[in-house]
Amino acid sequence: MKYTCTKDTIIIEDTKDFDISHILECGQVFTYKKNAENDYDVYSCDQFANVKLLDNKYVITCTDVNYFVNYFDLDTDYGIIKKNLGKSKYIVDAINFGHGIRILKQNLLEVIIGFIISANNNIKRIMTTMQKIREYGEKRGGYYAFPSLDVLQNITIDEFKDMGAGYRAEYLYDTIRRLKKVDFEKTYKQDTSALKKWLLSLKGVGPKVADCILLFGYGRCDCFPVDTWIEKVYVDLFHKKENRIKMSSDLIKYFGEYAGYAQQYLFFYRRSFVK
DNA sequence: TTCCAGGCTATGT
DNA sequence: ACATAGCATGGA
């Protein structure tokens, strides 16, 4: 994808494969704020970006240009991915609907915390809880950096509950202590199945949340999280119901190496049907 | 009031 | 290995 950078801005002129509302509202990320149509603030780790559409160009004003070139995955060609996936009317419709989706290179810790909170929850409250957790982090001018594990470790179960985490509060409390014991750098080197096994051993992480962490936190694009919306997609495609593990493996077989991208287009598309 | 939200844990078979 | 109750919380 073509883009140009200055010291603190990235300009994207070709917006065929970049639409900020698609990117942020397709369910992969809970750490942003909508200011207006096509005007969003994005928080990741200790970084901040404002993304705004001006004269049909996206202007990303940010704390670190290199960080956000990587974060928005600007060097990946989504034309190739879309072409590879577009083998039936259903997915082609989904891709056309969410043509501007990109899978973000998110901060792993935020993904783990965010998706533990996401279980049997709604996106609005997940985002509110994540923002409240962020406020335990270091203040950087107008925003907060996401708190480190050492800071997260000082948050009590009751405090997590007060932030709206509900019964997931103790999962967070427990998992934060487990995460203190691992070297994140080493986990990146593990293959997907070993990584999944470890993720499933964390409190509050089941098959679906593990797949989300693999896809959004580790960039393992051959994973296919199955939630309530993807269940509906599966029924649309295969005219039957199975358990979520089976649905996930069927969908990976169906879509192949770029299954994770398909998952995002399909989730965003299917969720738009009802309101 | 009941159902649902990007499900998971614990328990029972 | 598979099925299901119970779980916090707020909005529809």
Side-chain angles (χ1 to χ4, degrees):
Chain A
M1 146 162 289
K2 271 171 66 178
Y3 59 91
T4 55
C5 298
T6 66
K7 194 161 85 61
D8 58 356
T9 68
I10 306 165
I11 314 280
I12 298 167
E13 296 193 34
D14 178 9
T15 57
K16 174 167 55 82
D17 300 332
F18 189 108
D19 182 309
I20 195 60
S21 69
H22 295 175
I23 292 169
L24 296 176
E25 296 185 13
C26 69
Q28 62 179 317
V29 59
F30 306 114
T31 53
Y32 67 90
K33 187 162 97 55
K34 181 174 181 172
N35 301 315
E37 286 304 312
N38 288 305
D39 179 358
Y40 291 83
D41 290 339
V42 184
Y43 310 90
S44 175
C45 200
D46 60 343
Q47 303 290 327
F48 168 81
N50 172 263
V51 185
K52 202 177 296 190
L53 189 66
L54 294 169
D55 301 328
N56 294 318
K57 300 173 197 171
Y58 276 108
V59 180
I60 303 173
T61 310
C62 60
T63 50
D64 185 329
V65 164
N66 290 330
Y67 184 89
F68 283 101
V69 165
N70 176 63
Y71 181 82
F72 287 111
D73 199 22
L74 296 184
D75 293 325
T76 293
D77 184 348
Y78 276 66
I80 292 171
I81 293 166
K82 289 171 176 176
K83 206 170 156 188
N84 177 285
L85 290 175
K87 54 174 138 191
S88 67
K89 183 179 187 312
Y90 198 95
I91 182 70
V92 168
D93 287 347
I95 290 171
N96 288 334
F97 180 78
H99 63 271
I101 287 175
R102 311 180 73 80
I103 294 188
L104 298 168
K105 303 286 189 193
Q106 298 187 60
N107 172 247
L108 178 57
L109 180 57
E110 283 171 88
V111 172
I112 295 173
I113 301 293
F115 279 95
I116 287 175
I117 296 168
S118 80
N120 198 27
N121 206 341
N122 63 70
I123 291 179
K124 189 181 167 193
R125 192 167 59 230
I126 302 163
M127 290 180 56
T128 309
T129 303
M130 282 299 277
Q131 177 54 31
K132 287 179 178 169
I133 292 174
R134 184 172 289 279
E135 288 169 14
Y136 281 80
E138 237 177 86
K139 195 156 192 179
R140 303 282 170 96
Y143 70 99
Y144 294 90
F146 196 77
S148 66
L149 272 177
D150 286 319
V151 173
L152 290 172
Q153 204 169 16
N154 292 322
I155 303 177
T156 65
I157 292 175
D158 280 341
E159 284 177 297
F160 281 126
K161 283 187 178 169
D162 288 342
M163 291 187 272
Y167 63 90
R168 308 159 199 87
E170 44 198 277
Y171 302 156
L172 294 173
Y173 186 86
D174 190 275
T175 291
I176 285 160
R177 279 150 188 76
R178 284 283 309 282
L179 293 179
K180 277 287 289 176
K181 295 175 184 160
V182 303
D183 179 357
F184 274 8
E185 292 308 314
K186 284 184 183 166
T187 65
Y188 285 97
K189 297 192 178 79
Q190 291 182 267
D191 64 59
T192 301
S193 71
L195 210 42
K196 186 161 181 176
K197 194 174 169 189
W198 170 65
L199 289 169
L200 289 172
S201 78
L202 300 173
K203 280 275 174 60
V205 178
K208 187 268 175 184
V209 170
D211 283 335
C212 286
I213 296 169
L214 288 167
L215 181 56
F216 305 129
Y218 286 99
R220 305 295 166 97
C221 293
D222 55 344
C223 293
F224 208 112
V226 177
D227 71 321
T228 54
W229 299 105
I230 294 296
E231 275 186 355
K232 298 179 202 295
V233 169
Y234 185 93
V235 173
D236 292 344
L237 286 174
F238 299 108
H239 310 293
K240 59 174 180 176
K241 230 185 139 162
E242 298 283 353
N243 69 61
R244 287 185 172 193
I245 309 268
K246 166 88 166 118
M247 289 192 241
S248 180
S249 72
D250 282 352
L251 288 161
I252 289 168
K253 270 183 225 158
Y254 186 72
F255 288 110
E257 60 176 325
Y258 295 130
Y261 295 95
Q263 198 272 358
Q264 282 297 272
Y265 293 116
L266 293 167
F267 174 84
F268 187 62
Y269 180 56
R270 192 61 181 78
R271 200 162 63 105
S272 75
F273 286 10
V274 279
K275 266 283 157 340

